[in-house]
Amino acid sequence: MKCITQFLSVFLIVLVAVSSHAQLLPDNNNLNVQSVNRWMKSNRDMAPLIQAIDARHLTPESFKTFEALSSIEQDQYIELVLREENLLGQADSIVRQYGWKSVGEYMRLSTKLGNAIAAYFLFGDLGKVTEDQAKQLKEKADPAVLAVSQADIDFIRRNEKTLQQYIQAYGAGR
């Protein structure tokens, strides 16, 4: 009986620890204040890793091939690239420091954020042009930008000032 009681005690402690840790990690798959703040805080540290990965995608075709991979396949490819570039240890440290599941997760949120910002400006501009100009803009726009949800565009609208301040500070090197 004592053994069962000890086991249950340890199990409950582990369960509480795991659930409290899980609550601390934001949803990094969707645009929300926590995930975007995490992205902003980790952006500078992630930059050399992303540059190494992006260097492998010198053509639009290779980039499209990468984007077409599943999340798991992207993460495997990224790990391979970082290992080959001797950046895997640095990547693991940065991922742990900022609470990302992987560099790929950071990259996918970056893409989602970038597409949402582009859509916010595109659809904002559509209201200021003629119908023919709007049609031309839509025809030239990236399909990923056109597919951005209204919820993500609204998120950008609500957080435009914060994002603008971050971009300005980042550009100034602060």
Side-chain angles (χ1 to χ4, degrees):
M1 184 70 171
K2 185 177 179 181
C3 187
I4 292 174
T5 305
Q6 287 176 335
F7 173 77
L8 287 175
S9 296
V10 171
F11 178 74
L12 288 173
I13 290 169
V14 170
L15 185 63
V16 168
V18 168
S19 67
S20 66
H21 177 69
Q23 290 172 354
L24 296 176
L25 292 177
D27 170 9
N28 292 321
N29 297 316
N30 295 298
L31 297 182
N32 58 64
V33 172
Q34 276 187 313
S35 65
V36 172
N37 281 338
R38 179 169 290 187
W39 178 85
M40 288 189 286
K41 288 176 185 171
S42 60
N43 203 26
R44 285 194 192 282
D45 289 339
M46 286 283 194
L49 307 174
I50 304 311
Q51 290 169 354
I53 295 161
D54 285 349
R56 301 284 179 109
H57 304 291
L58 301 176
T59 66
E61 293 79 25
S62 63
F63 182 74
K64 286 179 184 177
T65 300
F66 174 77
E67 286 290 308
L69 297 173
S70 72
S71 309
I72 293 169
E73 292 169 323
Q74 285 180 356
D75 286 349
Q76 290 169 344
Y77 176 78
I78 290 166
E79 184 176 328
L80 176 69
V81 170
L82 295 173
R83 186 181 315 279
E84 289 174 359
E85 298 292 327
N86 294 318
L87 294 170
L88 192 55
Q90 180 182 353
D92 289 343
S93 175
I94 293 167
V95 163
R96 274 192 313 277
Q97 178 183 354
Y98 293 105
W100 296 100
K101 293 176 187 91
S102 66
V103 173
E105 180 187 43
Y106 163 86
M107 290 176 66
R108 288 183 288 277
L109 186 80
S110 294
T111 299
K112 187 172 187 73
L113 179 60
N115 286 341
I117 291 170
Y120 170 74
F121 285 112
L122 173 67
F123 291 117
D125 289 346
L126 291 180
K128 301 173 187 170
V129 296
T130 67
E131 194 173 311
D132 281 345
Q133 291 169 326
K135 182 180 175 187
Q136 289 174 1
L137 280 173
K138 282 184 177 180
E139 287 172 355
K140 293 179 182 178
D142 184 331
V145 172
L146 294 174
V148 169
S149 71
Q150 187 60 48
D152 286 352
I153 295 170
D154 293 342
F155 174 84
I156 300 301
R157 181 176 296 111
R158 286 189 311 273
N159 295 281
E160 180 181 6
K161 295 255 188 277
T162 302
L163 291 165
Q164 190 175 50
Q165 289 169 348
Y166 171 78
I167 291 167
Q168 289 169 347
Y170 188 87
R174 289 187 228 148

